[in-house]
């Protein structure tokens, strides 16, 4: 259960990061609300997962999932360039997250 919550929290991290960008400095209400909800869900889930999964592992997986999804979103939306090197590095990040799960 803790692993599922941690994965969902990592997804929520990307939600709040994207919403923060879309909020334009908290001047747009809907992205600001999405940011606040995503942040609360992400932090709450991370806190729950850290009760059962070591802090270093939890944090690394949480950040890795959020960073990978946010970077892919940036490329898919056209806000970031797509390059082979970027895709390979994000793939490496995902592989490291999977590796941390496998050894814990």
């Amino acid at each position: 259960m803790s692993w599922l919550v941690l994965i969902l929290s990592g997804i929520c991290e990307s939600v709040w990061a994207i919403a923060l960008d879309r909020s334009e400095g908290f001047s747009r209400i809907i992205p600001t609300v999405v940011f606040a909800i995503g942040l609360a869900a992400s932090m709450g889930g991370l806190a729950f997962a850290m009760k059962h999964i070591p802090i270093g592992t939890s944090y690394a997986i949480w950040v890795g999932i959020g960073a990978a999804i946010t970077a892919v979103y940036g490329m898919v939306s056209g806000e970031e360039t797509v390059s082979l090197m970027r895709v390979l590095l994000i793939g490496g990040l995902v592989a490291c997250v999977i590796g941390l799960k496998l050894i814990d």
Side-chain angles (χ1 to χ4, degrees):
M1 179 69 166
S2 297
W3 284 99
L4 177 61
V5 171
L6 183 60
I7 291 166
L8 293 173
S9 296
I11 293 167
C12 287
E13 185 198 6
S14 65
V15 168
W16 70 251
I18 293 164
L20 179 60
D21 178 57
R22 298 278 186 248
S23 75
E24 297 178 9
F26 301 120
S27 64
R28 297 179 61 218
I29 189 70
I30 292 175
T32 299
V33 170
V34 171
F35 163 78
I37 293 169
L39 181 65
S42 180
M43 291 297 171
L46 178 61
F48 173 82
M50 284 183 170
K51 290 180 182 179
H52 309 282
I53 302 169
I55 186 173
T57 302
S58 297
Y59 186 70
I61 289 174
W62 179 76
V63 168
I65 290 170
I69 292 171
T70 304
V72 169
Y73 174 83
M75 289 187 291
V76 169
S77 68
E79 294 179 18
E80 296 183 31
T81 60
V82 179
S83 69
L84 177 60
M85 186 58 69
R86 183 181 296 260
V87 171
L88 289 174
L89 289 169
I90 292 169
L93 180 61
V94 171
C96 288
V97 166
I98 292 168
L100 283 171
K101 166 58 176 126
L102 294 176
I103 65 166
D104 195 19

